[in-house]
């Protein structure tokens, strides 16, 4: 799969709402009172389906952080990025070669190919780092997320305070793919320039060919889907990045949205709905980034987010264990 095909597939996959699993993982729907207790089960169940990729990503993260010479293109990535996308795809390809015999036989444009090359790495790049942090940020329904926040420069989102953030939105009326959203994961998702192009990149220029903020949405039944994304390396605002998404959807109506017998007006209505929902799903993060100093614990006392964990020596090697507890914060 060449770079242009991968980029096209990523744009296709991250902008098209994917069908979520219909069966609930829990007897009762996720709500404000139980989300902190259930979220770790959701994440570990999802990552368990992709074994051994999650642990391979952790091992790669530890190895490269402690031996920068192993970093892609010899350049270590920013602290706000758990691992670059090419590492996830490379590890996934090795696993699939062993299981299926041939990674090259996968059609990158087929639903199965998109799932293997886009959905799985996206899920893992977002959920694996969250499993090391265990952060839940509650956003009550009384907070007003002003649309003006969409004018935030995307550059700000390159410096998330943790590798992966999860915001509880159970008390808000947010939807994706026609379903109510209970929570949203946010993480940076980047693909380095290929080695042949590294020399052409300015010394202080962007080291990533693709640099996105991706989202994974959690539904009330415990299922997950890829949500909207915004590009971070084009010097735009979040609103402008979402407008670019609208243009891509309009230019590729037949490919991005299964048109069937829908009229053009119906298709445009679906596109506008996707854009409106994308904006609403990004606003909680934009509000958080503008109000990090107002985060509080359950007693209302200011409580800053914990920093990303560091690997520590265990036996003859290094380990980065899963979070031993869920840390809850409250937006005010």
């Amino acid at each position: 799969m060449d770079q242009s095909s991968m980029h096209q597939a990523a744009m296709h996959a991250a902008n098209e709402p994917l069908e979520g699993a219909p069966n609930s993982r829990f007897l009762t729907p996720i709500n404000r009172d139980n989300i902190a207790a259930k979220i770790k089960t959701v994440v570990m169940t999802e990552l368990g389906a992709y074994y051994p990729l999650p642990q391979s990503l952790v091992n790669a993260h530890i190895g490269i952080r402690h031996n920068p010479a192993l970093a892609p293109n010899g350049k270590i990535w920013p602290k706000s990025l758990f691992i670059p996308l090419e590492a996830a795809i490379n590890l996934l390809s090795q696993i699939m070669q062993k299981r299926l015999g041939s990674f090259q036989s996968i059609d990158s444009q087929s639903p199965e190919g998109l799932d293997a090359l886009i959905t799985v790495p996206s899920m893992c790049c977002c959920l694996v780092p969250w499993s090391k942090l265990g952060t839940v940020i509650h956003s009550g329904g009384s907070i007003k997320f002003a649309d003006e926040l969409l004018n935030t420069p995307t550059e700000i989102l390159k410096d998330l305070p943790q590798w992966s953030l999860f915001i509880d939105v159970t008390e808000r009326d947010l939807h994706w793919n026609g379903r109510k959203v209970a929570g949203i994961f946010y993480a940076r998702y980047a693909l380095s320039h290929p080695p042949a192009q590294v020399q052409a990149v300015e010394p202080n220029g962007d080291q990533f060919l693709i640099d996105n903020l991706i989202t994974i949405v959690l539904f009330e039944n415990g299922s997950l889907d890829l949500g909207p994304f915004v590009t971070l390396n084009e010097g735009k605002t979040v609103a402008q990045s979402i407008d670019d998404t609208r243009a891509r959807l309009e230019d590729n109506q037949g490919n991005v949205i299964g048109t069937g017998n829908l009229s053009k007006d119906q298709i445009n209505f679906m596109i506008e709905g996707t854009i409106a929902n994308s904006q609403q799903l990004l606003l909680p993060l934009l509000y958080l980034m503008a109000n990090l100093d107002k985060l509080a614990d359950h007693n209302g006392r200011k409580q800053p987010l914990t920093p990303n964990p560091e690997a520590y020596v265990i036996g003859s090697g290094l380990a980065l264990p899963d979070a031993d507890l869920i840390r809850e914060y409250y937006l005010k």
Side-chain angles (χ1 to χ4, degrees):
M1 187 179 186
D2 61 27
Q3 296 292 101
S4 61
S5 297
M6 186 180 297
H7 194 181
Q8 181 181 21
M11 293 299 185
H12 174 97
N15 274 297
E16 180 181 4
L18 302 177
E19 187 68 25
N23 297 321
S24 177
R25 284 175 168 152
F26 304 107
L27 294 176
T28 57
I30 291 175
N31 57 51
R32 175 63 173 262
D33 295 331
N34 64 29
I35 192 168
K38 292 186 175 184
I39 186 61
K40 191 166 186 177
T41 298
V42 169
V43 171
M44 294 310 178
T45 300
E46 192 73 20
L47 291 179
Y50 305 135
Y51 178 84
L53 181 58
Q55 187 55 48
S56 298
L57 291 175
V58 175
N59 293 341
H61 171 88
I62 293 173
I64 295 174
R65 284 292 181 189
H66 290 268
N67 185 0
L70 299 174
N73 301 330
K75 188 174 182 180
I76 197 70
W77 57 86
K79 290 183 178 179
S80 61
L81 182 67
F82 181 74
I83 203 161
L85 176 59
E86 65 266 27
I89 293 178
N90 180 56
L91 291 167
L92 178 63
S93 70
Q94 294 180 43
I95 293 168
M96 295 183 70
Q97 281 178 349
K98 291 180 180 179
R99 289 183 175 178
L100 304 178
S102 176
F103 181 71
Q104 302 298 328
S105 64
I106 296 176
D107 177 7
S108 64
Q109 302 305 315
S110 69
E112 295 77 14
L114 282 173
D115 185 63
L117 299 174
I118 302 301
T119 308
V120 174
S122 298
M123 289 284 186
C124 289
C125 284
C126 201
L127 300 182
V128 171
W130 184 89
S131 71
K132 307 302 176 185
L133 290 154
T135 298
V136 172
I137 300 168
H138 300 283
S139 64
S142 62
I143 300 175
K144 179 175 173 53
F145 295 153
D147 289 344
E148 287 77 9
L149 288 168
L150 295 169
N151 296 323
T152 301
T154 58
E155 185 80 16
I156 290 175
L157 302 180
K158 288 185 177 182
D159 294 317
L160 297 181
Q162 293 184 335
W163 290 318
S164 181
L165 297 166
F166 176 77
I167 300 181
D168 158 29
V169 294
T170 50
E171 295 187 355
R172 313 190 72 87
D173 190 27
L174 302 183
H175 293 79
W176 186 249
N177 199 16
R179 303 167 64 191
K180 189 175 186 305
V181 176
I184 312 160
F185 293 91
Y186 304 88
R188 192 174 175 184
Y189 177 92
L191 179 72
S192 301
H193 287 279
Q197 296 181 14
V198 171
Q199 299 303 320
V201 178
E202 294 294 328
N204 296 321
D206 200 311
Q207 71 186 91
F208 298 115
L209 174 65
I210 298 174
D211 195 355
N212 297 334
L213 175 99
I214 65 167
T215 62
I216 293 176
V217 296
L218 168 69
F219 297 113
E220 293 175 302
N221 69 349
S223 62
L224 300 167
D225 265 340
L226 293 182
F229 76 90
V230 294
T231 56
L232 305 180
N233 57 355
E234 296 180 351
K236 298 182 179 182
T237 66
V238 173
Q240 289 169 332
S241 180
I242 294 175
D243 281 342
D244 289 345
T245 297
R246 176 189 283 107
R248 283 192 297 270
L249 291 172
E250 290 173 347
D251 290 341
N252 299 279
Q253 291 181 8
N255 295 325
V256 178
I257 297 179
T259 59
N261 296 320
L262 298 177
S263 67
K264 186 173 182 179
D265 286 344
Q266 289 172 315
I267 295 172
N268 288 334
F269 179 79
M270 293 173 65
I271 290 175
E272 289 305 315
T274 297
I275 295 303
N277 288 334
S278 297
Q279 293 171 336
Q280 295 304 307
L281 292 180
L282 290 165
L283 281 173
L285 175 65
L286 299 176
Y287 182 89
L288 169 66
M289 294 297 287
N291 294 277
L292 282 170
D293 62 335
K294 296 179 182 177
L295 277 177
D297 62 17
H298 70 282
N299 291 317
R301 295 172 298 199
K302 285 190 176 182
Q303 183 70 41
L305 289 171
T306 59
N308 292 324
E310 296 281 350
Y312 65 85
V313 176
I314 180 171
S316 59
L318 294 167
L320 188 62
D322 292 333
D324 55 357
L325 53 83
I326 299 299
R327 295 181 173 87
E328 296 182 70
Y329 302 83
Y330 296 80
L331 272 174
K332 298 195 294 181

